Amino acid sequence: MSEIQIWTLVFVGLSFATYLTIAWRSRVKETKGFYVAGQGIPAVANGAAVAADWMSAASFISMAGLIAFLGSDGSVYLMGWTGGYVLLALLLAPYLRKWGKFTVPEFVGDRYSEYVRLIAAIAAIIVSFTYVVGQMRGGGIVFSRFLNLSIEGGVAVAAGIIFLYAVLGGMKGITWTQVAQYTVMIVAYLIPAWTIAQKMTGFPVPQVTFGQILGELDALSQQFGLEQYTEAFAARPQLDVFLVTMSLMIGTAGLPHVIIRFYTTKSVRGARFSAFWALVFIGLLYTTAPAVGAFTKLNLMQSVDGVAVASLPAWVNNWAATGLVSVSDTAETITTLSNDPASGADLIVNNDILVLATPEIAGLPAPIVGLVAAGGLAAAMSTAAGLLLVISSSVSHDLYFRVVKREASESQRLLVGRIAMGAAVLVAIYGGINPPAYVAQVVAFAFGLAASTFFPILVMGIFWKRANAVGAASGMIAGLAFTATYMIYTLEVFGTSAHDHILGISPEGIGAVGAVVNAIVTIVVSKLTSPPTEHVQEMVEGLRYPAAKRKETSATE
């Protein structure tokens, strides 16, 4: 066993023991504790849990790799995912917390109707399944490289551990586990970044110093047959950059597993402060990611530039064993580099390995390599647990309890929820082994689906009293069908062949168009049909105004 594997086992073992201990001590027997942690989580802790829940394997493992190869166009992920939290904090979180229900479909059901709740529950399951596939893939990559497992075995191990602590503790256990996971994740991300910044620039603040290397990075990128790192719209058309950013922003604000986090706070004020703290904690990683991408790409190219295949550094061979790095059979020395297996470049490097391989590429000591592996697993597992809970609550609370068996006891609903988690894990294992794209891209698809289904009806459900059940149902179905159809059309999924992007719009960006389709259909159909009842309209007004203000507003209308 290598020194890297020993340190990986130490850090992963210690962190897993911590997570499972927290889950065991937080185990619950009632639905309120299982789904919303008894609504007793402090704002700072909930902010850290939100950050861990949202900063998934895509953020930790894949995003910096995408930025490294996309260059400035990779900023869509930074702007979209962080900007979405501003929308969430301003437009949705406090109002949904004031409504005081367990799940997003439950709000939709109360605001619109029971059949709209059913559509929302199905949409929540589809979005969460898509998202959890990326997390399982991320966990499989970590186990595959650092513990000598196959990708298949790594995905299965990660899924089993996530299932165990999610089933034990429900939302209460997941929340406190995610606080611990955020701590592991951010320490594992920042220590290598600070170390590499000091090593390459003489100052250990990567956010400030990575600009010093961009000129050299541009020159080397061109030498290796790549676009300049700083050139705008080289990897994506300008329209697609805008649409991907918008899709990720409104998708973030519409994600069920993120929104449900704000139901766990003690008050509406706590929900607002949770959003603030989440942005602070997220900002630590998101302001570091561009520097990690730039430093790692430069280190990578410098380490292989003109090197004979027989003399490549150890990290190439280490990662080649996972199948995520490959060297051309015809290459004698490395002169071209790509992340596209079809490019024919001398060296093919998968986006998803760059952060995990950063310490090895930079020649950092084995303990830091092990710490980064533990951080990658923390990122994948923290988000996957929240997604599994959304699937569980949608099946047990919104489908089984509301549609199948209204007299079901709490113990029966918890049992159904845990069985649903188990089934979701099995499906997610298959998706993690056979993903349709890179981890961050798969996650972006989930954001697009959330953008096109939930965001418009949630915003209109809060701010437009005239939105009705028929309009909401029509809008959700239209938005989801449009977006999913385009994604399947442009990707090789379900046995289909990939087609060219229409007008240059990628599957990651189509969610923004789907949201517009949803909004237009909802507005038109709502205007053509009967308005909601007076009782529903009063409830909607009560979300935005205190009682005294509400009476004053009604008197002037």
Side-chain angles (χ1 to χ4, degrees):
M1 183 177 291
S2 68
E3 186 181 5
I4 287 177
Q5 289 176 321
I6 292 172
W7 280 106
T8 298
L9 285 173
V10 168
F11 283 113
V12 170
L14 288 174
S15 60
F16 280 15
T18 302
Y19 307 152
L20 292 174
T21 299
I22 292 171
W24 177 258
R25 293 178 64 87
S26 305
R27 62 193 185 279
V28 295
K29 295 182 179 179
E30 73 283 348
T31 53
K32 188 173 183 180
F34 191 79
Y35 292 127
V36 292
Q39 293 184 324
I41 304 298
V44 176
N46 199 55
V50 169
D53 203 356
W54 177 71
M55 288 194 307
S56 62
S59 295
F60 189 99
I61 294 175
S62 190
M63 183 175 65
L66 277 173
I67 293 172
F69 282 100
L70 289 174
S72 65
D73 292 346
S75 61
V76 296
Y77 295 97
L78 301 170
M79 295 185 295
W81 281 334
T82 50
Y85 255 102
V86 177
L87 293 180
L88 179 62
L90 293 176
L91 297 181
L92 297 179
Y95 303 109
L96 293 176
R97 175 60 184 86
K98 187 175 180 181
W99 195 275
K101 299 298 182 178
F102 281 6
T103 67
V104 171
E106 193 166 22
F107 165 78
V108 171
D110 286 356
R111 169 61 180 86
Y112 296 109
S113 70
E114 285 300 311
Y115 71 84
V116 183
R117 178 205 297 270
L118 179 62
I119 296 170
I122 294 170
I125 293 170
I126 293 171
V127 170
S128 298
F129 265 130
T130 306
Y131 204 155
V132 83
V133 162
Q135 313 317 306
M136 295 303 179
R137 180 68 175 180
I141 290 171
V142 176
F143 279 117
S144 175
R145 163 64 187 93
F146 296 110
L147 297 180
N148 278 349
L149 294 175
S150 64
I151 288 287
E152 294 81 0
V155 169
V157 170
I161 294 170
I162 294 164
F163 174 70
L164 180 60
Y165 76 73
V167 164
L168 275 177
M171 180 59 85
K172 185 177 180 182
I174 288 171
T175 298
W176 291 109
T177 299
Q178 285 173 335
V179 174
Q181 287 168 331
Y182 175 78
T183 303
V184 173
M185 188 192 320
I186 201 64
V187 169
Y189 206 85
L190 293 180
I191 286 179
W194 290 339
T195 305
I196 294 170
Q198 174 67 38
K199 187 176 178 180
M200 297 185 71
T201 67
F203 191 68
V205 183
Q207 295 93 332
V208 175
T209 58
F210 85 98
Q212 299 177 22
I213 67 164
L214 294 183
E216 186 178 0
L217 184 56
D218 280 345
L220 262 180
S221 294
Q222 286 188 302
Q223 180 182 320
F224 274 90
L226 302 170
E227 301 290 346
Q228 286 193 7
Y229 189 84
T230 57
E231 183 180 349
F233 312 124
R236 293 178 181 272
Q238 187 172 3
L239 173 63
D240 191 49
V241 168
F242 172 78
L243 290 176
V244 173
T245 302
M246 287 302 302
S247 181
L248 296 177
M249 284 182 67
I250 60 179
T252 295
L255 281 175
H257 82 286
V258 173
I259 291 173
I260 197 174
R261 278 249 146 260
F262 295 97
Y263 295 156
T264 65
T265 59
K266 297 178 180 180
S267 64
V268 175
R269 185 172 182 268
R272 293 183 187 275
F273 274 93
S274 289
F276 166 77
W277 283 112
L279 279 169
V280 171
F281 294 135
I282 289 165
L284 287 175
L285 189 145
Y286 269 63
T287 55
T288 310
V292 171
F295 284 136
T296 303
K297 187 178 182 183
L298 182 59
N299 268 330
L300 188 162
M301 291 189 295
Q302 288 176 336
S303 70
V304 300
D305 184 19
V307 175
V309 170
S311 304
L312 286 170
W315 70 264
V316 175
N317 294 325
N318 291 339
W319 281 98
T322 68
L324 299 175
V325 170
S326 61
V327 180
S328 171
D329 294 334
T330 60
E332 295 182 2
T333 60
I334 304 300
T335 58
T336 55
L337 169 72
S338 179
N339 62 338
D340 180 7
S343 66
D346 296 333
L347 181 65
I348 305 295
V349 178
N350 188 293
N351 288 336
D352 292 340
I353 75 152
L354 251 64
V355 170
L356 297 173
T358 290
E360 293 178 89
I361 295 172
L364 300 184
I368 294 182
V369 178
L371 180 62
V372 170
L377 288 173
M381 292 192 302
S382 62
T383 302
L387 293 166
L388 289 175
L389 194 69
V390 167
I391 295 170
S392 170
S393 64
S394 296
V395 172
S396 67
H397 192 71
D398 297 306
L399 296 180
Y400 178 73
F401 177 60
R402 291 288 181 174
V403 178
V404 178
K405 191 176 182 180
R406 291 301 298 264
E407 69 277 9
S409 65
E410 283 205 353
S411 61
Q412 289 175 322
R413 288 154 60 190
L414 283 174
L415 177 62
V416 170
R418 284 167 171 152
I419 292 172
M421 271 193 188
V425 164
L426 294 177
V427 176
I429 288 173
Y430 175 81
I433 294 170
N434 303 284
Y438 296 120
V439 171
Q441 290 175 309
V442 174
V443 169
F445 302 155
F447 278 74
L449 293 171
S452 62
T453 51
F454 289 111
F455 183 76
I457 64 158
L458 290 175
V459 171
M460 285 189 279
I462 293 169
F463 294 100
W464 189 40
K465 294 187 293 184
R466 185 63 175 77
N468 64 17
V470 181
S474 302
M476 288 185 72
I477 292 172
L480 179 61
F482 173 83
T483 303
T485 299
Y486 187 84
M487 288 180 177
I488 293 171
Y489 176 80
T490 53
L491 295 167
E492 293 183 16
V493 292
F494 304 129
T496 64
S497 58
H499 295 82
D500 292 338
H501 299 168
I502 299 173
L503 299 177
I505 301 173
S506 67
E508 297 102 307
I510 197 64
V513 182
V516 173
V517 171
N518 181 334
I520 291 173
V521 171
T522 301
I523 292 169
V524 171
V525 174
S526 294
K527 285 286 190 180
L528 294 176
T529 52
S530 301
T533 64
E534 287 294 326
H535 174 66
V536 169
Q537 294 189 53
E538 287 179 6
M539 285 197 302
V540 173
E541 193 172 298
L543 272 179
R544 303 193 304 276
Y545 302 115
K549 176 68 176 177
R550 192 160 65 248
K551 291 177 182 178
E552 179 184 328
T553 303
S554 299
T556 60
E557 290 180 348

